[in-house]
Amino acid sequence: MSVRTRFAPSPTGLLHIGSAHTALFNYLFSRHHGGEFLLRIEDTDRERNTAAATQVILDGLDWLGITHDGETVFQSARVARHAEVAHQMLAAGRAYACYCTPDELKAMREQAVAEGRPPRYDGRWRDRDPAEAPPGVKSAIRLKAPRDGETVVEDLVQGTVRVANPELDDMIILRSDGTPTYLHAVVVDDHDMAITHVIRGDDHLTNTFRQVQVYQAMGWELPRFAHIPLIHGSDGAKLSKRHGAVSVLEFREQGYLPEALCNYLLRLGWGHGDSEIVSRDEAIRLFDLDGVGRAASRMDYAKLTHVNGVYLRQADDARLTHEVLQRLAHRHDLALGAIAAQRICALMPGLKERAKTLVELADNATFLARTIPLPFEPKAAALLTPEARLMLREVAQALAATDFSPAALDAALRTFAENSRRKLGQVAQPLRAALTGSTTSPGIDATLAALGRDEALARIAAVT
Ligand code: GLU
């Protein structure tokens, strides 16, 4: 049987990094086994703005390059099928109608709590004749769960997990208003979508016992389950906003590359030797559930930034230029035309060596899109002393006669420094300040070449 996994997010308005982690593992597992990876939007909570919230998930997956097979399934479109299955269970005696009123259920709960028992439904309609139903009360349908024995899950990550059946009450599968409950809907959908492996966060493990009981009641074959550990923050608590970014979109805004984020997520909870940088193709080749550990992993933002720096250095210059221009597009103080693009692309090999995120990269590239007069950072302004300005006039003369290739520029600056008995840095630092308004940039030769002769000389002239 070929592997079929699914990612089943609830549209909450964001794609949480933990959900993206789950999606990635499902995707890699299916691709590794040459199977299929499906997407189901669990949109039965009508209170929310589902269309916009769904789009956020689709955009996030698209950005991460986690592509699914087939049409997206919307759980809300399947409620009639969920109800149909509930009625089949009723007809087969594996479920029953419960006519308890909300008040009655509340009283049952309160009494259980008062007596120190867990607030479970006591099964009072399990064997009662529906003819005794009070008038005007609509029934809910409850699963006739086994009363003794245990429910066992052979989890591919957690191992064998079991619960004593008396611990579980007869859960509602269809509410009195005819809508399915979540735990029931998931089972019907996973069955109908022929899912072979349910890979999800281990916060769902307790739900699994109840879901297994639904499969058993219907006589359906169980999928394999794999409950993967959640991502925690540095303090060991479940990852939340107070730890840092949690939504995939936020990571995107903070300048992370999707392949870096995926690589980082892959290594959270899955290991293969010491290799830290694992490409997508390699991940597909190597990924399997036996490499997934049971311990919760901790989100390490500094490590992610490091991995991002590695990917940034490998990334294509034209792509990075495009990203930088997009990030600067809102800046009205810059001249963001074709010339800026050309300069940024020309200097990209040097720029990307020095940045760990696209935000940093865009900051460092900004000077290339500025117009004269440049703003000067205090440290750069301090370098432009009267003597330095005099020297820069001479430098300009030397440069005017030079071919503007990095090699020729480097040679010209070295000759100038030698002839004027200065160290190269004594020439390069004021020059850098004049050209960039700051004290840091890629190599001065590459910086000059990227600006081009006219602009470089004009920037020097503006301070001398
Ligand atoms: N919709 C659930 C969630 O977003 C996932 C359910 C499942 O994977 O079974 O947490």
Side-chain angles (χ1 to χ4, degrees), residues 28 64 66 94 170 216 248 255 265 268 274 278 311 315 325 450:
L28 292 176
L64 290 168
I66 300 177
R94 305 303 299 258
D170 292 342
Q216 288 166 342
V248 165
L265 287 178
L268 274 189
D274 292 335
V278 186
Y311 276 91
L325 289 172

Side-chain angles (χ1 to χ4, degrees), residues 6 8-10 19 40 42 182 186 190 198-200 204 211:
R6 61 17 171 220
S10 308
S19 297
R40 178 173 75 234
E42 306 214 308
Y182 166 71
V186 168
D190 283 340
V198 171
I199 305 170
R200 60 188 172 197
H204 286 283
Q211 291 183 341

